[in-house]
Amino acid sequence: MVKENIKEKISRRDFFKSSSFGAKAWAAELLAEDEARPKETKWAMVIDLQKCIGCDTCTVSCKAENRTPPGVTYNVVLKEKVGTFPNVTKINTPRPCMQCDQPACKQVCPVKATYKMKNGIVAIDYNRCIGCRYCMVACPYGARYFDFGENYEQEMLGYNSYQTNEYGVEKGERKKKAPVGIVRKCHFCFHRLQRGEEPACVETCLGDARYIGDLNNPDSIVSKLVHSGRAVRLKENMATEPRVYYLK
Amino acid sequence: MPSKTIAQNITTLVKSNRVIWYGFLLVLMLVGVYGLSMRVQTGLISTNLTSNVPWGAWVAFYIYFVGLSAGAFLLSSLIFVFGMEKYEKIGREALLAAILSMVLAMMFISLDLGRMEKFWHSLVYFNPFSVLSYEVRFYGLYVLILITELYLSMRQDLIKNAQRNDLKGKIAKICSLGSTDLSKQSEERDHKWLKILGSIGIPIAIFGVHGGTGALFAVVKAQHYWNSAIFPVIFVVSALVSGTALLITFYIIRQKVMGGQVDKTMVQSLAGLMIGFLIVDIGLQFYEYLISAYSLDHHALDTLAILFGGKFSLISFWLGQTFIGAVVPIFLYFKFRESVNALLIGAIMVVFGIVAVRFNIVVPPLLIPQLGGLTGGYYFPSSVEWMTSVGVIGFGLLLYSLSVSILPVDLSSPIEKIGGGVKDNG
């Protein structure tokens, strides 16, 4: 690999020398190279608020998929009544983790347990997190939850016997070890994305209001929706650059 | 002859008081051990913390004790760095209180960690963008400086004590770390190093330890109420308030228990410092409220509404922070300055009042949901949180009482001679 790179550089330099308009041609070549190279997938989610009916299916399917314990809900649907009678509307805003490009949670974590993956997802290293909950305080979207160790064993037989392989890591039985006692949050169902499946909330959405896709690919539905002019993000003033867009 | 009987009476009084005192501390610690066992067995579910209100009593106590420590240390630097000899009598006690407060602060924050056993991660892994990451390291450095300073300030007395044959002597021998140099030169060298270490310690205490702890809160943009540059300053000033109050309390109570003379001029001067800091603190807090109010940010306004009129505001803000923590002490100082007891009561009230201040910093902003439609929080510390807190504080008082009775915290007579003028005050 390294040798090839050197060769490429030499050839480029030769090309550079031979060309009469050096810099211009070099820039053009670089640009062409840049466009030709397939970019890495960088996930983003678009949620169409006009399509959302507030049925909470995303919340339920998320709980089922990630087997989150009581009190931990990666996705919630915020239901707000706006205006005064008779001019009242109800706004449903599904709220997953925003997978911010400048995550406040990552900034404050003292042990780097929260980090940004190349694919745009903000991940938590369950084994490194010490449970100080600074990130929960810092998240402007309230998207982080502390796992207090509760379970649904009463309602759901065998709840403790298996945990979802979040982040693609097998976790086995739910015992008194991590993720108990640490902070958890939505990860766009990374384990499903790895298998080529959509996140559970996207797949099960009744109104087809949620989209997941690659924002680096200008032809993806997500990219087109984001650039449609309808797209807004929550709390833009926080400068967190969320990767979840809402269509008004 | 009568004086002798009085002295005997005092010693018996001290002895019986000692039994009561240590018995009391033992009870506190037993309560704490029970709370701790619940905490370890069931995890954070034993607390009333939720995902809405992730920080509570333990964090409040943690910043409270970091504040006490920084305040006490800064007071000690008045003596060791700025050479204010009138406060000399509390110099070592200030350092001791600073060290022990830091120990308690670390105990509280370890209790608060979801996975206590992984506390060492905070030392091994470093996030250069996290204030907390720097804080942890500052705490370590700060405690090292404090311990070295305390050692240097006591070294010669430790060596003198080491010649005794009782337990006190043995412990002094261990604590003196093999040093036997009693010469005047070595003492001067100690004082020089005390000055150097104190000078290094001051910026660390102000910007690193307590200002940094304030910055921990101030950098959180999501919590509008904390997010102002005045916040770390308030932390430092309120640290000075609580640190001074603690030292006044300890000094007067100890002198009374031991049957010693209370240096009234020094106490008055310290109380004056405390009240001065307190007034500055109140002024800065007023600005903080003003900034929040003028932002018209609903999150900040809701925080103020909870602070001034929430469910527990009557106890925590109006009674704790305002009445006990400010109004009464200021009144006592200006009305009954001549009475040591009044000043003592004022100082004790400030020590308790600042606890309320810390709770009012941590909890109210967290009660407000980040997004409309999220459930709001409710928080009152659970029995386990109270029990462990009581236990940790009892443990701290035990450490303090033991250190005070074993280590030469009081200036021994030779140093008094050098200091001069001390007798005049008494």
Short mmCIF file of all heavy atoms in Angstrom, two decimals, chain A residues 99 106 158 180 183 202:
data_model
loop_
_atom_site.label_atom_id
_atom_site.label_comp_id
_atom_site.label_asym_id
_atom_site.label_seq_id
_atom_site.Cartn_x
_atom_site.Cartn_y
_atom_site.Cartn_z
N GLN A 99 -27.22 12.09 17.39
CA GLN A 99 -25.90 11.72 16.83
C GLN A 99 -25.17 12.96 16.33
O GLN A 99 -24.70 13.02 15.20
CB GLN A 99 -26.07 10.71 15.68
CG GLN A 99 -27.08 9.62 15.91
CD GLN A 99 -26.72 8.63 17.01
OE1 GLN A 99 -25.61 8.67 17.55
NE2 GLN A 99 -27.63 7.77 17.37
N LYS A 106 -19.82 14.02 24.22
CA LYS A 106 -18.45 13.55 23.97
C LYS A 106 -17.45 14.53 24.57
O LYS A 106 -16.43 14.13 25.13
CB LYS A 106 -18.24 13.44 22.46
CG LYS A 106 -16.84 13.00 22.07
CD LYS A 106 -16.52 13.39 20.64
CE LYS A 106 -15.03 13.37 20.42
NZ LYS A 106 -14.64 13.92 19.14
N GLY A 158 -37.82 -14.28 31.36
CA GLY A 158 -36.57 -14.44 30.63
C GLY A 158 -36.00 -13.14 30.11
O GLY A 158 -35.12 -13.15 29.26
N VAL A 180 -25.43 -2.12 33.19
CA VAL A 180 -26.02 -1.67 34.45
C VAL A 180 -25.06 -0.69 35.12
O VAL A 180 -23.85 -0.94 35.18
CB VAL A 180 -26.31 -2.86 35.39
CG1 VAL A 180 -26.75 -2.37 36.75
CG2 VAL A 180 -27.36 -3.77 34.79
N VAL A 183 -24.34 4.89 31.47
CA VAL A 183 -25.26 5.70 30.67
C VAL A 183 -25.46 5.04 29.31
O VAL A 183 -24.52 4.52 28.72
CB VAL A 183 -24.70 7.13 30.50
CG1 VAL A 183 -25.60 7.95 29.61
CG2 VAL A 183 -24.55 7.79 31.85
N VAL A 202 -37.28 3.01 12.32
CA VAL A 202 -37.52 3.35 10.92
C VAL A 202 -38.33 2.25 10.26
O VAL A 202 -39.30 2.51 9.54
CB VAL A 202 -36.17 3.53 10.18
CG1 VAL A 202 -36.41 3.81 8.71
CG2 VAL A 202 -35.35 4.64 10.81
#
